[in-house]
Amino acid sequence: MTLSTIELSEPAARGVKEEDAADVDVSIVIVSWNSARWIGGCVASLRAAAGSLEWEAFVWDNASSDASANIARDQAGRGVEIIASPLNRGFAGAINDLLPRLRGRHVFLLNPDCDPAPGSIELLSRELDRRGSAGVVPLLVSRDGVPQRDFQLRRFPTLRSILAETLLMDRVHPGNRASSHYRYRDLDITTPQAIEQPAAAALMLDRKVMDRIGLLDEQFAPAWFEDVDYCRRIFAAGESLTLIPEARVIHFGGSSVETLGFDRFLPLWYRNLFRYSRKWLGKGRSEAVRWAIVVGMLLRIGAVKLGIRTEQVSRDASLRGYREVLRMAWRRWDAK
């Protein structure tokens, strides 16, 4: 496959793979939105990471207003397609629209703020073939090699873990059992381990399993919790996911907050937490989550007014974000 840039006038038609297409080992999917700071390094790292595999890659640009698509085009080589969508389809929508085009036995979802280490994609693909599980994940590390376990590795949210996180228990008592269990702080990450909910910043899935599970749920657009939901559907189907710590991916992180701004990111994140709770925890427990969010935002507003806040976020942005989440939660997100 040679490098090409595809301009879309509407979302791609959905369906099955072309029957006459030759299968490849891995289809790499990168969904980008205003990712100019990271996308070049991500695309440039693919060939060394794929090693001896037969692979293809798609960079779906979600109507970026920056130079993301051009930078990806400059770095892309043979086997990479840049798809410039005039619409922001979100993370789930972009993947759903791309699925019919993918020829790989495995599908590697990769965020643009990630640089997979040399050989890491090849190792993941070999391990997925050997283990026969639904998917495998590398260990996400910072640029200095420190594992990002709290960000990447989590069990499925429960009412207890959501209450602990939302009501700031992890700040008051970092070692509380609910948060520690939720964030896998008891897990030995030096050997392969079964993981309920790995972040989809870097996640390799078996294509046959994806075909059986179905499309990602687009109610979580533009992003956040669609990966949690999909992992839960995988486990509900009796499948499993495995961490392969020998495979490393550098994750720079913070791209969503940096691109959107804290006061825009936060309301979307909590809205999708509520939608996830409503889907998987039921009406009564999702209402408890909503009230926990209300109380949690009041606590955060009070803390900011006392001068306690995240250093990277300004006082005004913090207050705008917390107040908007409070307003939306009080209104039940307009019952949508």
Side-chain angles (χ1 to χ4, degrees), residues 81-102:
E81 290 193 16
I82 315 301
I83 301 174
S85 171
L87 304 174
N88 188 339
R89 295 281 293 119
F91 181 76
I95 292 171
N96 289 343
D97 289 346
L98 272 173
L99 275 174
R101 303 172 182 227
L102 306 184

Side-chain angles (χ1 to χ4, degrees), residues 12 21 58 79 93 118 135 143 158-159 162 180 205 208 259 270 297 306 308 319 332-333:
F58 296 85
R143 68 182 72 195
T158 63
L159 178 59
I162 293 172
S180 295
L205 297 170
K208 291 181 179 179
T259 303
Y270 276 102
M297 292 308 108
L306 291 173
I308 305 170
L319 288 175
R332 290 186 176 84
W333 288 270

Side-chain angles (χ1 to χ4, degrees), residues 37-240:
R37 180 176 172 184
W38 306 279
I39 189 66
C42 179
V43 173
S45 68
L46 297 181
R47 188 163 301 281
S52 63
L53 296 176
E54 293 292 328
W55 62 281
E56 62 182 3
F58 296 85
V59 178
W60 178 289
D61 187 77
N62 259 329
S64 293
S65 58
D66 66 7
S68 296
N70 288 335
I71 293 172
R73 186 180 301 115
D74 290 342
Q75 291 294 330
R78 187 176 181 83
V80 182
E81 290 193 16
I82 315 301
I83 301 174
S85 171
L87 304 174
N88 188 339
R89 295 281 293 119
F91 181 76
I95 292 171
N96 289 343
D97 289 346
L98 272 173
L99 275 174
R101 303 172 182 227
L102 306 184
R103 300 181 298 151
R105 296 180 296 107
H106 304 150
V107 176
F108 187 44
L109 307 181
L110 185 66
N111 277 9
D113 61 348
C114 288
D115 289 356
S120 57
I121 297 176
E122 181 174 13
L123 174 58
L124 289 171
S125 181
R126 305 297 185 208
E127 285 292 317
L128 186 50
D129 280 334
R130 186 173 74 84
R131 293 174 181 275
S133 56
V136 291
V137 293
L139 185 65
L140 296 184
V141 299
S142 63
R143 68 182 72 195
D144 55 2
V146 177
Q148 298 178 340
R149 56 183 302 158
D150 260 23
F151 166 79
Q152 182 190 16
L153 309 174
R154 307 188 187 189
R155 292 181 169 91
F156 294 127
T158 63
L159 178 59
R160 184 184 180 192
S161 68
I162 293 172
L163 293 179
E165 300 272 316
T166 305
L167 298 177
L168 300 176
M169 286 300 298
D170 208 34
R171 300 282 185 91
V172 178
H173 179 29
N176 74 85
R177 293 179 63 183
S179 295
S180 295
H181 181 77
Y182 170 58
R183 293 178 180 269
Y184 273 119
R185 290 173 182 155
D186 59 332
L187 193 72
D188 177 7
I189 60 171
T190 64
T191 60
Q193 299 283 357
I195 299 294
E196 289 184 359
Q197 178 217 318
L203 171 62
M204 185 176 289
L205 297 170
D206 185 279
R207 177 58 192 267
K208 291 181 179 179
V209 173
M210 293 187 76
D211 288 341
R212 182 154 59 92
I213 300 299
L215 300 176
L216 278 73
D217 191 339
E218 295 182 30
Q219 74 164 304
F220 299 107
W224 309 291
F225 285 93
E226 68 279 86
D227 54 344
V228 188
D229 171 76
Y230 204 73
C231 289
R232 189 143 189 173
R233 289 162 59 191
I234 288 172
F235 272 76
E239 300 285 352
S240 62

